Amino acid sequence: MTTTVYRGGESVARPRPPDGRRSGRLVQDRRRFLVTSLAAVGAYVVSCRGSVWIVGPGRAWAAEMQALDAELAETLLHMTRALYPHDFLGDAHYAAVVADLDAEAAGFDDKEHLEMLRSGMLELNDAAGGTFTSANDEQREQALARIAGSPFFEAVRGKTIVSLYNQPEVWKQFGYEGPSYEQGGYLFNGFNDLDWLPDPPAEASPPVQL
């Protein structure tokens, strides 16, 4: 069996995504996950039996959409990475953001929020001079700058900030050890251990005044 795969505005045949319903944000094939980790880039969007999935490289993971169509899901996957690009983060982390955007759109009784996302995608495509997914990095940056401040831009940007940087796996990629309250707080657990951040200039971190 094959499914429809959307990439860069075109559709091609690709094997179907993992079977089964998602548990939480992502369905993970643990055997493939050992080979294709969350750091892998190259996710694609498939439409199968009326369902839309974002599928990871090697089908190591998959996220099923509830409200977003394939084109919108693919656009949001590329848009979230373009807004906050990190080469060391895999597509799974950005797919989790799209899953949150999808869950939010599905949670409204009316379709107004979903229609805002769809119309925003059309505006973004127009700003990119074609489709955002097929644009190069410079064109994407310019397209985002053109729609900055729009309800669509702010909705996606706001969700990305919260959803992307609230993932413990993302914390690890940055070197952040996570909250310390479970270990009794920072006072006796390296309160000044900030090696996951660059050293601040002296004027930004003055000496303690006694």
Side-chain angles (χ1 to χ4, degrees):
M1 176 181 178
T2 59
T3 58
T4 303
V5 180
Y6 295 84
R7 179 172 290 170
E10 299 180 353
S11 61
V12 296
R14 183 66 67 87
R16 65 181 178 183
D19 291 327
R21 309 300 293 179
R22 68 176 178 178
S23 175
R25 289 181 177 175
L26 300 176
V27 171
Q28 297 177 3
D29 182 324
R30 296 188 180 278
R31 181 181 61 184
R32 291 191 179 93
F33 185 77
L34 295 174
V35 179
T36 308
S37 71
L38 291 175
V41 177
Y44 52 92
V45 177
V46 301
S47 180
C48 176
R49 296 179 180 176
S51 297
V52 174
W53 298 75
I54 302 176
V55 182
R59 294 188 291 171
W61 54 264
E64 185 181 12
M65 302 293 100
Q66 303 176 61
L68 305 182
D69 58 43
E71 184 182 9
L72 182 52
E74 184 194 26
T75 299
L76 291 174
L77 180 65
H78 287 278
M79 180 181 177
T80 53
R81 180 178 283 280
L83 283 170
Y84 296 96
H86 300 288
D87 292 341
F88 53 86
L89 293 183
D91 282 343
H93 304 300
Y94 294 95
V97 179
V98 179
D100 282 345
L101 286 163
D102 172 73
E104 183 177 53
F108 286 91
D109 292 333
D110 59 52
K111 300 299 182 181
E112 183 176 349
H113 188 78
L114 181 59
E115 289 305 318
M116 180 272 293
L117 294 177
R118 286 174 175 161
S119 62
M121 177 190 68
L122 296 177
E123 182 184 3
L124 182 61
N125 285 341
D126 184 63
T131 63
F132 185 79
T133 55
S134 62
N136 59 38
D137 290 343
E138 183 179 358
Q139 290 170 330
R140 290 180 181 183
E141 183 177 352
Q142 293 173 351
L144 289 172
R146 290 189 182 105
I147 70 164
S150 68
F152 170 69
F153 179 91
E154 293 301 327
V156 177
R157 184 187 67 86
K159 182 64 69 175
T160 305
I161 291 174
V162 174
S163 181
L164 180 63
Y165 298 113
N166 199 35
Q167 299 178 44
E169 290 298 329
V170 170
W171 299 346
K172 294 177 184 178
Q173 294 296 322
F174 280 99
Y176 173 51
E177 299 172 359
S180 68
Y181 63 87
E182 295 179 350
Q183 290 87 38
Y186 285 108
L187 182 59
F188 302 107
N189 289 283
F191 72 94
N192 60 345
D193 178 15
L194 286 178
D195 54 1
W196 61 280
L197 289 176
D199 292 331
E203 59 271 18
S205 184
V208 176
Q209 299 295 320
L210 300 177

